[in-house]
């Protein structure tokens, strides 16, 4: 099994390396010092297991775990932390296990064994449950590299065959998240306007009808307009009314 270690403290990484070597049967494929680096390396190195600290500079471990949740072949995430008050948040982020520092060898052996025994289907089941914390960024694979887009910059999500387009002023990326999952995660920030589209509530600039009489929504910073279905029109009008009020 391929293991990635993610911790901003070099001594903590060295300790995990030592323990994993003593346990045997695992290959350490890399080391990361923050959540964003863990996300990039974990995807590129095809890690099976991520041993990840929670409190790290920049993107923390919880945020990175939520991104791993959306992967087609998700790795098993085991959190390693000195703080016991993150346990609930860790399992909301679908961690396989949660280890408190200083980590004991037998406890690590047990966690690695559990991660190894989980089948792909079981891991996918763990990863797709609703989390208590929404991501701050959307991750997309662009030319073989992970691109992170702040959710605050996204104007809309629109389904297009097997992918969903996340549109923002500087362009767009294609992601594998379903609209239903995105609505569950970001429902407080995005509004369903059509069976194939969610728009950022704060980015709504107004409504108007096109030449065919279809109700369209205008978004700040985006040239194109999106059609609003008849089913969702009352909710959109109410949202706009509440926002203006």
């Amino acid at each position: 099994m391929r293991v990635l270690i993610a911790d901003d403290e070099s001594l903590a990484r060295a300790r995990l390396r030592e323990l994993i070597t003593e346990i045997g049967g695992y290959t350490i494929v890399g080391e990361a010092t923050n959540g964003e680096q863990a996300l990039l390396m974990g995807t590129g190195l095809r890690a099976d297991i991520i041993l990840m600290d929670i409190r790290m500079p920049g993107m923390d471990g919880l945020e990175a775990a939520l991104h791993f949740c959306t992967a087609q072949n998700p790795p098993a995430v085991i959190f390693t932390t000195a703080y016991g008050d993150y346990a609930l948040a860790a399992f909301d982020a679908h961690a396989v296990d949660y280890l408190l520092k200083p980590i004991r060898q037998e406890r690590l052996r047990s966690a690695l064994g559990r991660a190894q025994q989980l089948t792909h289907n079981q891991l996918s089941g763990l990863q797709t449950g609703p989390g208590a914390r929404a991501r701050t960024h959307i991750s997309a694979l662009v030319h073989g590299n992970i691109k992170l887009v702040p959710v605050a910059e996204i104007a809309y999500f629109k389904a297009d065959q097997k992918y969903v387009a996340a549109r923002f002023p500087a362009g767009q990326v294609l992601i594998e998240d379903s609209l239903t999952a995105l609505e569950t995660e970001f429902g407080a920030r995005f509004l369903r306007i059509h069976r194939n589209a969610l728009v950022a509530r704060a980015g709504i600039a107004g409504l108007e009808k096109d030449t065919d009489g279809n109700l369209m929504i205008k978004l700040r910073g985006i040239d194109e307009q999106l059609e609003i279905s008849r089913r969702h029109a009352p909710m959109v009008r109410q949202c706009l009314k509440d926002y203006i009020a």
Side-chain angles (χ1 to χ4, degrees):
M1 298 290 282
R2 300 167 63 83
V3 179
L4 174 71
I5 298 171
D7 198 304
D8 61 317
E9 297 182 359
S10 59
L11 290 178
R13 297 196 303 273
R15 174 61 176 161
L16 284 172
R17 280 200 312 271
E18 179 183 353
L19 290 174
I20 292 171
T21 300
E22 291 175 357
I23 291 171
Y26 299 90
T27 302
I28 300 172
V29 294
E31 297 181 14
T33 59
N34 59 45
E36 182 173 348
Q37 195 175 74
L39 180 61
L40 297 172
M41 294 179 67
T43 302
L45 296 172
R46 303 188 309 281
D48 301 303
I49 301 171
I50 314 289
L51 287 169
M52 186 156 55
D53 191 15
I54 290 180
R55 292 180 62 170
M56 295 185 287
M59 181 185 288
D60 65 17
L62 292 172
E63 171 84 6
L66 290 171
H67 284 282
F68 282 123
C69 288
T70 67
Q72 190 170 24
N73 296 298
V77 174
I78 299 171
F79 282 119
T80 60
T81 178
Y83 303 91
D85 53 351
Y86 285 105
L88 182 59
F91 288 111
D92 279 339
H94 316 296
V96 170
D97 213 332
Y98 180 90
L99 307 181
L100 282 175
K101 298 175 181 177
I103 295 169
R104 295 180 292 110
Q105 186 181 92
E106 284 308 309
R107 186 69 182 86
L108 178 59
R109 186 195 304 274
S110 174
L112 290 171
R114 180 168 182 259
Q116 187 170 5
Q117 289 171 8
L118 287 173
T119 65
H120 170 70
N121 288 338
Q122 287 173 318
L123 271 177
S124 296
L126 281 173
Q127 307 288 7
T128 54
R133 168 177 162 176
R135 290 169 290 170
T136 61
H137 292 69
I138 286 294
S139 56
L141 191 63
V142 179
H143 303 305
N145 298 309
I146 295 291
K147 180 180 178 63
L148 296 174
V149 180
V151 174
E153 295 182 7
I154 295 176
Y156 67 75
F157 294 107
K158 187 175 182 182
D160 182 14
Q161 296 183 1
K162 66 177 294 188
Y163 293 102
V164 168
R167 182 75 163 88
F168 49 98
Q172 73 173 29
V173 292
L174 298 180
I175 58 178
E176 295 184 356
D177 307 67
S178 69
L179 276 183
T180 300
L182 292 167
E183 187 174 22
T184 298
E185 185 175 4
F186 302 114
R189 302 183 68 163
F190 287 82
L191 177 68
R192 175 82 69 163
I193 65 165
H194 197 281
R195 61 181 177 81
N196 69 355
L198 302 169
V199 301
R201 295 172 186 266
I204 298 175
L207 308 177
E208 64 180 35
K209 289 188 177 181
D210 64 10
T211 54
D212 295 323
N214 299 311
L215 187 62
M216 310 294 288
I217 195 164
K218 297 187 294 182
L219 298 169
R220 297 184 182 89
I222 302 295
D223 292 335
E224 71 263 34
Q225 298 180 355
L226 299 179
E227 182 179 352
I228 303 170
S229 70
R230 292 182 180 179
R231 175 186 173 188
H232 293 91
M235 187 183 304
V236 175
R237 291 185 188 277
Q238 184 61 49
C239 177
L240 188 58
K241 179 181 178 182
D242 293 344
Y243 184 76
I244 294 174

